[in-house]
Amino acid sequence: MTLLLEGRRAIVTGAGSGIGRETAKVCAREGARVGVLDVDRTAAERTAAEIGDAALPLVADLTDETQVEAAVAQAASAWGGVDCVIGCAGVQLAGQDDRADRLSLDVWRRTLDINLTGMFLVSKHGIRELLRNGGGTVVLVCSPTGQFGCAPGYDAYSASKAGVYGLVRVMAADYGEENIRVNGVVPGYTRTPMTEWVTPQEHDALLETIPLRRAGQPEEVAEVIAFLASDRTPYTTGAVWSADGGITAI
Ligand SMILES: NC(=O)c1ccc[n+]([C@@H]2O[C@H](COP(=O)([O-])OP(=O)(O)OC[C@H]3O[C@@H](n4cnc5c(N)ncnc54)[C@H](O)[C@@H]3O)[C@@H](O)[C@H]2O)c1
């Protein structure tokens, strides 16, 4: 059986850590060349070194269009094109995000800039490459917080993630005729540096809300992302798949 992403060329944002890092590794294991994009150069280079020859470290701040465009161009020129654009990068500004009446405009803007505008910018420049290529796939990471009010006090984060659902669906409609499929993946409570702030008590309370009664591992989310990025899902677009232990089912 051929590998899931044999011969594909994928850019993965946020690939220096957590879900993005595991996604880059799964894509490479499945035969892709992978652009390991992160704002943190050391982290991007570390993931790229773990992967080896199939990896191309790309350093860009997703809030800066010039940097995003340059990183996408770097990958496209190294490989002669791009087939898959995978948006994993995001921030949850714990200790700064808040409910609306206490939330500063700066924290709101910073969160929206990275989590939503960053997804837009990598989609914009990545999709230009896919169009040149005659098609491809986009997968963006969403969150249950964008679907339900399940994270009180994380108003900026929740709103930014709700925006990602909208972007997935409208881009699926925009690009279907041009052979570009756009899907989302919803992690649940996943053990990565993003959730290090969770206290043991909060951890136990969170597990009570999860049908599988455990936290997810980033590689469990990465497998779903790689599957949706591949040609094994040719009739799937505008879909948002959960890899969340069942949180969004109840
Ligand atoms: N961990 C969870 O429980 C969970 C749950 C639901 C959704 N998510 C989503 O999954 C995605 C990955 O989260 P994670 O848990 O792996 O987080 P993480 O903190 O481990 O990794 C996020 C990566 O994004 C990078 N990044 C941040 N700002 C950037 C920028 N401006 N430009 C480029 N890169 C930038 C960071 O350097 C980091 O390497 C995020 O979109 C997050 O919102 C995570």
Side-chain angles (χ1 to χ4, degrees):
M1 195 166 180
T2 53
L3 296 172
L4 208 53
L5 292 164
E6 188 71 56
R8 299 283 153 183
R9 301 156 296 185
I11 293 174
V12 181
T13 77
S17 174
I19 293 166
R21 172 172 170 257
E22 294 306 320
T23 299
K25 288 160 83 171
V26 170
C27 289
R29 184 199 73 201
E30 292 297 332
R33 279 171 285 174
V34 187
V36 177
L37 190 154
D38 208 283
V39 69
D40 180 339
R41 176 182 295 277
T42 308
E45 288 175 350
R46 190 175 49 230
T47 302
E50 285 168 0
I51 292 171
D53 288 345
L56 175 67
L58 300 169
V59 181
D61 181 342
L62 288 170
T63 66
D64 181 327
E65 181 162 16
T66 307
Q67 292 186 29
V68 177
E69 185 172 14
V72 171
Q74 188 186 338
S77 94
W79 303 326
V82 174
D83 304 289
C84 311
V85 178
I86 301 174
C88 295
V91 292
Q92 185 171 37
L93 299 179
Q96 300 176 63
D97 204 346
D98 215 328
R99 66 181 206 183
D101 66 296
R102 294 190 293 246
L103 177 57
S104 81
L105 183 57
D106 279 353
V107 170
W108 168 267
R109 285 197 171 133
R110 176 106 190 106
T111 305
L112 272 284
D113 263 6
I114 297 171
N115 291 4
L116 183 54
T117 307
M119 293 287 192
F120 155 63
L121 287 176
V122 77
S123 299
K124 172 178 173 177
H125 292 286
I127 286 172
R128 287 181 174 180
E129 291 300 330
L130 304 187
L131 289 169
R132 276 188 204 111
N133 207 33
T137 56
V138 179
V139 183
L140 303 182
V141 173
C142 304
S143 164
T145 61
Q147 215 173 331
F148 309 110
C150 59
Y154 283 92
D155 293 19
Y157 181 80
S158 301
S160 72
K161 287 296 176 180
V164 179
Y165 282 84
L167 193 58
V168 164
R169 290 173 178 139
V170 77
M171 292 199 305
D174 283 336
Y175 296 108
E177 278 185 54
E178 283 154 297
N179 194 31
I180 295 172
R181 296 183 297 103
V182 184
N183 292 293
V185 170
V186 184
Y189 168 45
T190 311
R191 292 325 299 252
T192 71
M194 184 177 280
T195 53
E196 270 169 5
W197 56 270
V198 174
T199 66
Q201 292 78 5
E202 288 167 334
H203 173 82
D204 291 345
L206 272 167
L207 296 195
E208 289 302 310
T209 69
I210 303 171
L212 288 181
R213 294 287 184 269
R214 65 175 177 84
Q217 296 301 326
E219 53 270 30
E220 296 176 299
V221 183
E223 296 287 350
V224 180
I225 295 171
F227 182 55
L228 287 173
S230 80
D231 288 345
R232 302 259 174 95
T233 54
Y235 202 56
T236 303
T237 195
V240 180
W241 280 32
S242 298
D244 65 359
I247 289 181
T248 53
I250 57 172

